[in-house]
Amino acid sequence: MTKAKNRLKIGILGASGYTGAELLRLLAGHPQIDIALLTGERQAGKSLAEVFPHLAGLDAPGLIKIEDADWSGLDAVFCCLPHATTQEVIAKLPKALKVVDLSADFRLADIGVYAAWYGHEHRAPALQKEAVYGLTELMREAIRPARLVANPGCYPTSAQLPLIPLIEEGSIDADDIIIDAKSGVSGAGREAKQGSLYSEVAEGIHAYGVAAHRHAPEIEQGLSNAAGRPITVNFTPHLMPMNRGILSTIYVKLADGATADGLRATLARRYEGEPFVKVVAKGVSPATRHVRGSNLCMIGVFADRMKGRAMVISVIDNLVKGASGQAIQNFNLMSGIAETAGLEQAPMFP
Amino acid sequence: MTKAKNRLKIGILGASGYTGAELLRLLAGHPQIDIALLTGERQAGKSLAEVFPHLAGLDAPGLIKIEDADWSGLDAVFCCLPHATTQEVIAKLPKALKVVDLSADFRLADIGVYAAWYGHEHRAPALQKEAVYGLTELMREAIRPARLVANPGCYPTSAQLPLIPLIEEGSIDADDIIIDAKSGVSGAGREAKQGSLYSEVAEGIHAYGVAAHRHAPEIEQGLSNAAGRPITVNFTPHLMPMNRGILSTIYVKLADGATADGLRATLARRYEGEPFVKVVAKGVSPATRHVRGSNLCMIGVFADRMKGRAMVISVIDNLVKGASGQAIQNFNLMSGIAETAGLEQAPMFP
Amino acid sequence: MTKAKNRLKIGILGASGYTGAELLRLLAGHPQIDIALLTGERQAGKSLAEVFPHLAGLDAPGLIKIEDADWSGLDAVFCCLPHATTQEVIAKLPKALKVVDLSADFRLADIGVYAAWYGHEHRAPALQKEAVYGLTELMREAIRPARLVANPGCYPTSAQLPLIPLIEEGSIDADDIIIDAKSGVSGAGREAKQGSLYSEVAEGIHAYGVAAHRHAPEIEQGLSNAAGRPITVNFTPHLMPMNRGILSTIYVKLADGATADGLRATLARRYEGEPFVKVVAKGVSPATRHVRGSNLCMIGVFADRMKGRAMVISVIDNLVKGASGQAIQNFNLMSGIAETAGLEQAPMFP
Amino acid sequence: MTKAKNRLKIGILGASGYTGAELLRLLAGHPQIDIALLTGERQAGKSLAEVFPHLAGLDAPGLIKIEDADWSGLDAVFCCLPHATTQEVIAKLPKALKVVDLSADFRLADIGVYAAWYGHEHRAPALQKEAVYGLTELMREAIRPARLVANPGCYPTSAQLPLIPLIEEGSIDADDIIIDAKSGVSGAGREAKQGSLYSEVAEGIHAYGVAAHRHAPEIEQGLSNAAGRPITVNFTPHLMPMNRGILSTIYVKLADGATADGLRATLARRYEGEPFVKVVAKGVSPATRHVRGSNLCMIGVFADRMKGRAMVISVIDNLVKGASGQAIQNFNLMSGIAETAGLEQAPMFP
């Protein structure tokens, strides 16, 4: 790869988890950046090769503690820290730094909703006002000039990309939306938890966080904005044995006169020319393996056998479009770089 | 295991597939039967150990062609043949033989519906009239005296066990039912098909047969009977990487005054004392791995955040309660044997 | 299942891990025992259904702390505690209790070897002298009268069952043995460790503990006893994505005049009539899925293309013959119960 | 990605299998080529999106039958056809076309050996003389001017890269080499075969082609050339549940005076500066997931506890360095393009 001349220096805070690894994998192919800083509290002092042997070939510094970071010369940071901690860390960063935050800490515009779902008061309410929600295709103009972007959650990305245009168009009943989502295990992070052990996940499936998952208010925030009134949805996530991928099967009630074909046309029109959001042809069933490793979101629409209803199926790679890929897409946009830089890899199958 | 004195002789037609193997695994622990006949068209001439090395220790004959079968002395057959073929084969069997048919051939009481979904006329309409649908817990009295039992499909078992009591009780709106089902791969059978290859299934998920799966009319038949009028449901199956298991996440609209807790109580009452159907405690999320290898169906009920709605989640092992286990349960019932004989194995986890 | 009249009361210490769950699964089908005690330090106070939802149907008490156990009335305990702790706990048990210990604490007869590999002095050297190594088929007469049996490790079971008879017979060169073993993840236990996470294990394989795994001295102890002199082997374990199973591919040098066919005949003769050890026919390649969920060990022998060499392949389910199943087999033997009681389940495939 | 000005036009024969898909995935990021021709006998007439939905975004033509191909204007073809067919097809291609053949048809220099292992006479013996074996790092100078390159098999790549330098250096005994290899399922291709079904592969492992795999003579050819005399090895492949990856655990006898550290140093020296072959540090155990999706081969060396012996562990992605990636590397070399073009993607983990 030929590197560009005037490159930007970026840092990754909390680089030792899966979203950190994925940022590094993708940024390795980004022609206009240099990786200048990696932090990791428990892994400080280690080389990248020790933390991630698959990334041994990257030109990147070793991991250090966040308090040892030298921010001078940096253009932007990607922040992959745990929630709550994130608010405190970002509040202390130099104001000149662009920040793409991959945590949930700045996604909810209403800090009361944040407190209700996260069990504590927001620790950086002023920053919350500044933060721009980074659902790239739908908030591009707000993201471009932003300094702090709250990168969307994986489930909310998979749900909002198909639903917001349909609500805005008035094609579906925003009060009758059921989102049955299936996720791979990397979404649970790299922390050692019994529930993420191979033997607890392989060869099975179960729903979790039923009617209680923190991505519900994030989805509802986006859909409410689109509808112009408060929307409540059913969002039911399931954990299944795959490393990467989210498939959301969304059950909707059609507005009067709307049809499944019409929904598909609406989405196709809305995302025409978009490099990363693709509406598939009638009859094609999107599969997570069609987007694995890529920043793509594929969306299919099906007529229901129940009159007046339809299904919308979307797939993303939770670590790419659902996290690190969209973060880079936002960073590119904020930095005046081609939006697709570092994100042009084709999906990997099998 | 101590074998009983007066044992019944059974045969398995089409023994070389996964439901055949599962019948053999379970019957190996059944104290009151002898395996006297195994057929398999392509595997005829082979020993059981050659077809299924894991069953090398069983006391069972080799596979023969169906035309070479000696029916005398047999008490019952389990029929695991492809659809359509099944109708022709069963029509020719001695009338004294009890038959549990695991195919779809006799499940739909209305042969017009059969023709519409299977693309050809029913080939044994007289037998269809005789056939009893074998959803054991809900049709026990009809199954007991039956000669020919149509064993339910895997998805229909997982959907009807929770839904029929709720419809009969009037607790839910039978016209607003969405069944999002996730299945392991063994449900697709042992035939060499590209779509069942490891690399086409592992590490991914997709919906299939959207609004077109043949288990839809079977589910609707049962729910319509319960409702006393024609019911159409949304049934959306997904294929995911696990050998065994079906999890159905069912989204329902509550009847006036009904609550999720009330639904749970209704189901608990209906299945009280049942050895194989268990309603789990409030807050417990059923997982397919909780029933793997067993004849259990576990059902959980959850309140929805959307007002007036609830979720019912059921799990079964598609090869056991969804096929071979329920077949043995029906055979036991038809034969006056303890219903749990051969089916007492605890689930296997991990 | 019909329970016998004069049943034995057993306890399981450390019941909340995978070997505990597997003991419970198997003992659920054992006609001559009652489960009277379950301990679990961190899970004390919970019902079995809370710890293992798949075992909700069992007739078993809740978990308590080990210091709250009432030993009176108990006939035997299965001990699934961490190493070192085990030595201390067993030393304090009433001497009338039979004990099958599934830890590594009493497997090495030489406490100096124990100290060298486990990094601390043995804490119950007197008990070590009493302990009998429980490789059932090869040490049956010593196990029968024993009070304390050290249940073999999973890898050592898979390696010693084929190798000891061949060494005793003089058919192979005991100084040129390479054991390349592949294990499922449940062998690493239920503790939350990063290395056992789904995303760290799925879709990959790696060797671990190379030339340093603690099962090496256990294997060498058995082979040295068989050879009558100290033997060193190459033992290289690999971690791969499956819940259960160990496949050991063993590369051996033939003694003068020995052949692969001769090796197979020797093993077949040695294990003739054994219910759980099966030598498969020439040309058959044993697979872990042929023994999944069962107490079976299957062994195949192949000629090598390299002159004077052969391969022996053995498969077991690490949680059954490699742990809980063999423990029950030993318990049966120690208790004068039929050796196969509780262990007659056929393997589960798929 | 910025495409170069003077690009080469390439075709892929047999593009509908996994190696075809992988060539397309990698070539999508290659700055100096255009995909001008795709053939597929059974898929002729379909667009690439229909055959591989994950590649819908590529700029590539639809699939046609090979007899409908227009060879004019093409610079090179990658040939992914079945063996034997390949020999006939390549024999008829215009002589100006460069060819990288991914089949086994031209890998064995001795057509007698070919006939013995493939069961029929070689159908293009003249071409065989012209063919250059494409193990890039070790045959670079022969590959550069070649017109027809026989791309190595996946197993042979993983075995020869570490072994040839060690044999050439005289560090190991070439007559005592055991290669225990573990492969993912994509190596078996996309053809519908029972043995490749999810349920036949998931959650298990078995050896196959024991002492009879066709990659054995290919490995032995390379090692014999290095040793200067005929070498026979033990090569035992195992099939395990992962999409991609080969891990070869190679057991070697050290030459007098040689040590494991010396072997590692030899390999490190030999592959110094190589972009795709990496010798890992002492104590690091290479894992297939460290190379997934990349053209890397990682090699580790370990001392054995058996005196005078060592282990060498190599990992590759069978579809990349073991097939399509090495094919592109060879094509680049043959075309005077930077050897790493199209192959710079970092490995994907998890």
Side-chain angles (χ1 to χ4, degrees):
Chain A
M1 190 184 57
T2 319
K3 284 273 187 181
K5 285 267 170 67
N6 293 312
R7 300 200 289 279
L8 299 177
K9 281 188 172 9
I10 66 96
I12 300 175
L13 311 185
S16 66
Y18 293 141
T19 52
E22 191 66 359
L23 281 167
L24 286 161
R25 177 179 80 90
L26 296 167
L27 292 171
H30 193 302
Q32 283 166 273
I33 64 101
D34 282 327
I35 300 164
L37 169 71
L38 300 178
T39 80
E41 295 314 286
R42 276 172 296 187
Q43 308 285 349
K46 292 192 184 165
S47 71
L48 184 56
E50 287 170 284
V51 179
F52 289 122
H54 71 293
L55 298 176
L58 259 70
D59 183 18
L63 278 76
I64 59 172
K65 282 186 181 290
I66 206 163
E67 64 254 35
D68 298 331
D70 173 7
W71 308 105
S72 64
L74 276 190
D75 294 289
V77 295
F78 294 92
C79 189
C80 309
L81 298 170
H83 82 84
T85 302
T86 299
Q87 291 162 354
E88 294 170 356
V89 167
I90 293 183
K92 292 180 201 150
L93 291 179
K95 297 303 166 209
L97 267 185
K98 289 182 199 296
V99 180
V100 182
D101 178 30
L102 286 85
S103 84
D105 269 17
F106 294 99
R107 292 178 190 155
L108 298 174
D110 183 335
I111 60 173
V113 174
Y114 178 89
W117 283 84
Y118 286 85
H120 64 88
E121 293 304 306
H122 201 284
R123 295 172 189 174
L127 272 180
Q128 179 60 61
K129 284 184 193 141
E130 185 189 348
V132 172
Y133 187 73
L135 191 62
T136 327
E137 283 77 9
L138 300 181
M139 284 97 185
R140 202 170 260 132
E141 294 321 308
I143 295 165
R144 215 183 291 274
R147 188 187 73 87
L148 167 59
V149 163
N151 212 55
C154 48
Y155 289 120
T157 297
S158 82
Q160 292 178 95
L161 283 174
L163 283 171
I164 287 178
L166 298 179
I167 291 176
E168 288 181 351
E169 192 82 3
S171 313
I172 60 172
D173 178 353
D175 293 314
D176 194 345
I177 295 173
I178 292 166
I179 304 162
D180 185 295
K182 299 89 176 167
S183 175
V185 191
S186 63
R190 206 185 191 191
E191 200 192 333
K193 288 180 286 193
Q194 192 182 72
S196 302
L197 294 181
Y198 180 88
S199 293
E200 307 284 323
V201 176
E203 289 292 305
I205 183 170
H206 62 279
Y208 70 101
V210 180
H213 195 284
R214 286 165 170 175
H215 282 180
E218 185 181 341
I219 295 169
E220 291 173 352
Q221 168 181 277
L223 304 195
S224 298
N225 287 344
R229 61 192 164 81
I231 297 299
T232 301
V233 298
N234 180 304
F235 165 61
T236 306
H238 299 75
L239 185 67
M240 55 166 285
M242 60 181 177
N243 281 309
R244 294 161 173 257
I246 286 179
L247 181 141
S248 290
T249 312
I250 307 175
Y251 300 91
V252 297
K253 189 174 170 187
L254 296 166
D256 280 355
T259 64
D261 287 343
L263 265 53
R264 192 182 309 106
T266 294
L267 290 169
R269 214 161 39 234
R270 180 63 174 258
Y271 292 116
E272 197 182 350
E274 284 292 347
F276 299 125
V277 182
K278 302 293 176 190
V279 179
V280 300
K282 188 171 180 169
V284 174
S285 187
T288 56
R289 62 184 71 78
H290 298 161
V291 299
R292 193 188 311 156
S294 82
N295 200 45
L296 292 171
C297 173
M298 289 192 184
I299 304 173
V301 182
F302 296 84
D304 197 327
R305 290 177 59 250
M306 288 172 74
K307 228 181 104 182
R309 299 193 59 90
M311 284 110 83
V312 184
I313 298 180
S314 77
V315 291
I316 59 169
D317 182 322
N318 59 303
L319 288 180
V320 192
K321 186 61 178 170
S324 306
Q326 186 156 247
I328 293 172
Q329 192 182 356
N330 285 326
F331 160 80
N332 287 342
L333 201 51
M334 295 157 78
S335 307
I337 296 174
E339 201 175 307
T340 56
L343 300 170
E344 295 177 298
Q345 302 194 344
M348 191 166 104
F349 166 82
Chain B
M1 189 184 55
T2 320
K3 282 273 185 181
K5 286 262 169 70
N6 293 314
R7 300 200 290 280
L8 299 177
K9 282 189 170 7
I10 66 95
I12 300 175
L13 311 186
S16 66
Y18 294 141
T19 52
E22 190 66 359
L23 281 168
L24 287 162
R25 178 179 80 89
L26 296 168
L27 291 172
H30 194 302
Q32 284 166 271
I33 65 101
D34 282 328
I35 301 164
L37 169 72
L38 300 178
T39 80
E41 296 314 285
R42 275 171 298 187
Q43 307 285 349
K46 292 192 184 165
S47 71
L48 183 55
E50 286 171 284
V51 179
F52 289 122
H54 71 293
L55 298 176
L58 259 71
D59 183 18
L63 278 76
I64 61 172
K65 281 187 182 291
I66 206 162
E67 64 255 36
D68 297 330
D70 173 7
W71 307 106
S72 64
L74 276 189
D75 294 289
V77 296
F78 294 91
C79 190
C80 308
L81 298 171
H83 82 85
T85 302
T86 299
Q87 291 162 355
E88 295 171 355
V89 167
I90 293 183
K92 291 182 200 150
L93 291 179
K95 296 303 167 208
L97 266 184
K98 290 182 198 295
V99 179
V100 182
D101 177 31
L102 286 86
S103 85
D105 269 17
F106 294 99
R107 291 178 191 156
L108 298 174
D110 182 334
I111 59 172
V113 173
Y114 178 89
W117 283 84
Y118 287 84
H120 64 88
E121 293 303 306
H122 201 285
R123 296 173 189 175
L127 271 180
Q128 179 59 61
K129 283 184 195 142
E130 185 190 347
V132 172
Y133 187 73
L135 191 62
T136 326
E137 284 76 10
L138 299 180
M139 285 97 186
R140 202 169 262 133
E141 294 321 309
I143 296 165
R144 216 183 290 276
R147 188 187 74 87
L148 168 58
V149 163
N151 212 55
C154 49
Y155 289 121
T157 296
S158 83
Q160 293 178 94
L161 283 175
L163 283 171
I164 288 178
L166 298 178
I167 292 175
E168 288 182 350
E169 193 80 4
S171 312
I172 60 172
D173 177 352
D175 293 315
D176 193 345
I177 296 173
I178 293 165
I179 303 162
D180 186 294
K182 299 90 176 167
S183 175
V185 191
S186 63
R190 206 184 191 193
E191 199 192 335
K193 288 180 285 192
Q194 192 182 73
S196 301
L197 294 181
Y198 180 88
S199 293
E200 306 285 324
V201 175
E203 289 292 305
I205 184 170
H206 63 279
Y208 69 102
V210 181
H213 195 285
R214 286 166 171 175
H215 282 182
E218 185 182 341
I219 294 170
E220 291 173 352
Q221 167 181 278
L223 304 194
S224 297
N225 287 343
R229 63 194 163 79
I231 297 299
T232 301
V233 298
N234 179 304
F235 165 62
T236 306
H238 299 75
L239 184 68
M240 55 166 286
M242 60 182 176
N243 282 308
R244 294 161 173 258
I246 287 179
L247 181 140
S248 290
T249 312
I250 307 175
Y251 300 91
V252 297
K253 188 175 172 188
L254 296 166
D256 280 354
T259 63
D261 289 342
L263 264 52
R264 192 182 308 106
T266 294
L267 290 168
R269 214 162 38 235
R270 179 64 173 259
Y271 292 116
E272 198 181 350
E274 285 292 348
F276 299 126
V277 183
K278 303 294 177 189
V279 179
V280 301
K282 188 170 179 171
V284 174
S285 187
T288 56
R289 61 183 71 79
H290 298 161
V291 299
R292 193 189 310 156
S294 81
N295 201 45
L296 291 171
C297 174
M298 289 193 184
I299 305 173
V301 182
F302 295 85
D304 196 327
R305 290 177 59 248
M306 288 173 74
K307 230 180 101 181
R309 299 193 58 91
M311 284 110 84
V312 185
I313 299 180
S314 77
V315 290
I316 58 169
D317 183 322
N318 61 301
L319 288 179
V320 192
K321 187 61 178 169
S324 305
Q326 186 156 246
I328 292 172
Q329 192 181 356
N330 285 326
F331 160 78
N332 288 341
L333 201 52
M334 296 157 78
S335 306
I337 296 174
E339 201 174 309
T340 57
L343 300 171
E344 295 177 299
Q345 302 194 345
M348 192 166 106
F349 166 80
Chain C
M1 189 186 56
T2 320
K3 283 273 186 182
K5 285 264 169 68
N6 293 314
R7 300 200 290 279
L8 299 177
K9 282 190 171 6
I10 67 96
I12 300 175
L13 311 185
S16 66
Y18 294 141
T19 52
E22 190 66 358
L23 281 168
L24 286 161
R25 178 178 80 90
L26 296 168
L27 291 172
H30 194 301
Q32 283 166 273
I33 65 101
D34 283 327
I35 301 164
L37 169 72
L38 300 178
T39 79
E41 295 314 285
R42 274 171 298 185
Q43 307 285 348
K46 291 192 185 166
S47 71
L48 183 56
E50 287 172 283
V51 179
F52 289 122
H54 72 293
L55 298 176
L58 259 70
D59 184 18
L63 278 78
I64 60 172
K65 280 185 182 293
I66 205 163
E67 65 253 36
D68 298 331
D70 174 7
W71 309 105
S72 63
L74 276 190
D75 295 289
V77 296
F78 294 91
C79 190
C80 309
L81 298 171
H83 82 86
T85 302
T86 299
Q87 290 163 354
E88 295 171 354
V89 168
I90 293 182
K92 292 182 200 149
L93 291 179
K95 297 301 167 209
L97 267 184
K98 289 181 197 297
V99 179
V100 182
D101 178 31
L102 286 85
S103 85
D105 269 18
F106 295 99
R107 291 178 191 156
L108 298 175
D110 183 334
I111 60 173
V113 174
Y114 178 89
W117 283 84
Y118 286 84
H120 64 88
E121 293 304 306
H122 201 284
R123 296 173 189 174
L127 272 180
Q128 179 59 60
K129 284 183 195 143
E130 184 189 348
V132 172
Y133 187 73
L135 191 62
T136 327
E137 283 77 11
L138 299 181
M139 286 98 185
R140 201 169 261 134
E141 293 321 308
I143 296 165
R144 214 183 292 275
R147 188 187 75 86
L148 168 58
V149 163
N151 211 55
C154 48
Y155 288 120
T157 297
S158 83
Q160 292 178 96
L161 284 175
L163 283 171
I164 287 178
L166 297 179
I167 291 175
E168 288 182 350
E169 194 80 4
S171 313
I172 60 172
D173 178 353
D175 293 314
D176 193 346
I177 295 174
I178 292 166
I179 304 162
D180 185 294
K182 299 89 175 167
S183 174
V185 191
S186 62
R190 205 185 191 192
E191 200 192 333
K193 288 180 285 194
Q194 192 182 74
S196 302
L197 294 181
Y198 180 88
S199 293
E200 305 285 323
V201 175
E203 289 292 307
I205 183 169
H206 63 279
Y208 69 103
V210 181
H213 195 285
R214 287 166 170 174
H215 282 181
E218 184 182 342
I219 295 169
E220 291 174 352
Q221 167 181 277
L223 303 195
S224 297
N225 288 344
R229 62 192 164 81
I231 297 299
T232 300
V233 299
N234 180 304
F235 165 61
T236 306
H238 299 75
L239 184 68
M240 54 165 287
M242 61 182 175
N243 281 308
R244 294 162 172 258
I246 286 179
L247 182 140
S248 290
T249 312
I250 307 176
Y251 300 91
V252 296
K253 188 174 172 188
L254 296 166
D256 279 355
T259 63
D261 289 342
L263 266 52
R264 192 181 307 107
T266 294
L267 290 168
R269 213 161 39 234
R270 179 63 173 258
Y271 292 116
E272 197 182 352
E274 284 293 347
F276 299 126
V277 183
K278 303 292 176 192
V279 179
V280 301
K282 188 171 179 169
V284 173
S285 187
T288 56
R289 61 185 72 78
H290 298 161
V291 299
R292 190 171 21 199
S294 82
N295 200 45
L296 291 171
C297 174
M298 289 192 185
I299 305 173
V301 182
F302 296 85
D304 197 328
R305 290 177 59 248
M306 287 172 75
K307 229 180 101 182
R309 300 193 58 90
M311 285 111 83
V312 184
I313 299 180
S314 77
V315 291
I316 59 169
D317 182 323
N318 60 303
L319 288 180
V320 192
K321 186 62 178 168
S324 305
Q326 186 156 247
I328 293 172
Q329 192 181 356
N330 284 327
F331 161 79
N332 287 342
L333 201 51
M334 297 157 77
S335 307
I337 296 173
E339 201 175 308
T340 56
L343 300 170
E344 295 177 299
Q345 303 194 346
M348 191 166 104
F349 165 81
Chain D
M1 190 185 57
T2 319
K3 284 274 187 181
K5 285 264 169 69
N6 293 314
R7 300 200 289 280
L8 299 177
K9 281 190 171 10
I10 65 95
I12 300 175
L13 311 186
S16 66
Y18 293 140
T19 52
E22 191 65 0
L23 280 168
L24 286 162
R25 177 179 81 88
L26 296 168
L27 291 172
H30 194 301
Q32 283 165 273
I33 64 101
D34 283 326
I35 301 165
L37 168 72
L38 300 178
T39 79
E41 295 314 285
R42 275 172 296 187
Q43 308 285 349
K46 291 191 184 165
S47 71
L48 184 55
E50 287 171 283
V51 179
F52 289 122
H54 70 293
L55 298 177
L58 259 70
D59 183 17
L63 279 76
I64 60 172
K65 281 185 182 292
I66 207 164
E67 66 254 35
D68 297 331
D70 173 8
W71 309 105
S72 64
L74 276 190
D75 295 288
V77 296
F78 295 92
C79 189
C80 309
L81 298 171
H83 82 86
T85 302
T86 299
Q87 291 163 353
E88 295 170 355
V89 168
I90 293 183
K92 292 180 200 149
L93 291 179
K95 297 303 167 209
L97 266 185
K98 289 181 198 296
V99 179
V100 182
D101 178 30
L102 286 85
S103 85
D105 269 17
F106 295 98
R107 292 178 191 157
L108 298 175
D110 183 335
I111 60 173
V113 175
Y114 179 89
W117 283 84
Y118 287 85
H120 63 88
E121 292 304 306
H122 201 285
R123 297 173 188 174
L127 272 180
Q128 179 60 61
K129 283 183 196 144
E130 184 190 347
V132 172
Y133 187 74
L135 191 62
T136 327
E137 284 77 10
L138 300 180
M139 285 95 185
R140 201 169 260 132
E141 294 321 308
I143 296 165
R144 216 183 290 274
R147 188 187 74 87
L148 167 58
V149 164
N151 212 56
C154 48
Y155 289 120
T157 297
S158 81
Q160 292 177 94
L161 283 174
L163 283 171
I164 288 177
L166 298 179
I167 291 176
E168 289 181 350
E169 193 81 5
S171 313
I172 60 172
D173 178 353
D175 293 314
D176 193 345
I177 296 173
I178 292 166
I179 304 162
D180 186 294
K182 299 88 175 168
S183 174
V185 191
S186 63
R190 205 185 191 191
E191 200 192 333
K193 288 180 285 193
Q194 192 182 73
S196 301
L197 294 181
Y198 180 88
S199 293
E200 307 285 323
V201 176
E203 289 291 307
I205 183 169
H206 63 278
Y208 69 102
V210 181
H213 195 285
R214 286 167 170 174
H215 283 180
E218 185 181 342
I219 295 169
E220 291 173 351
Q221 166 181 278
L223 305 195
S224 298
N225 288 343
R229 61 191 165 83
I231 297 299
T232 300
V233 299
N234 179 304
F235 165 61
T236 306
H238 300 74
L239 185 67
M240 55 165 285
M242 60 182 177
N243 281 309
R244 293 163 174 256
I246 286 179
L247 182 140
S248 290
T249 313
I250 307 175
Y251 300 92
V252 296
K253 188 173 172 189
L254 297 166
D256 280 354
T259 63
D261 288 343
L263 265 52
R264 192 182 309 105
T266 295
L267 290 168
R269 214 163 38 237
R270 180 64 173 258
Y271 293 116
E272 197 183 351
E274 285 293 347
F276 298 126
V277 183
K278 302 293 176 191
V279 179
V280 300
K282 188 172 180 170
V284 174
S285 187
T288 56
R289 63 184 70 78
H290 298 161
V291 299
R292 192 187 317 159
S294 82
N295 199 45
L296 291 171
C297 173
M298 290 192 184
I299 303 174
V301 182
F302 295 85
D304 197 328
R305 290 177 58 250
M306 287 172 75
K307 229 180 103 182
R309 299 193 59 89
M311 285 110 83
V312 185
I313 299 180
S314 76
V315 291
I316 59 168
D317 182 323
N318 60 302
L319 287 180
V320 192
K321 186 61 178 169
S324 305
Q326 187 157 247
I328 293 172
Q329 192 181 356
N330 285 326
F331 160 80
N332 287 342
L333 201 51
M334 296 156 77
S335 307
I337 296 174
E339 201 175 308
T340 57
L343 299 171
E344 294 178 298
Q345 302 194 346
M348 191 167 104
F349 165 80

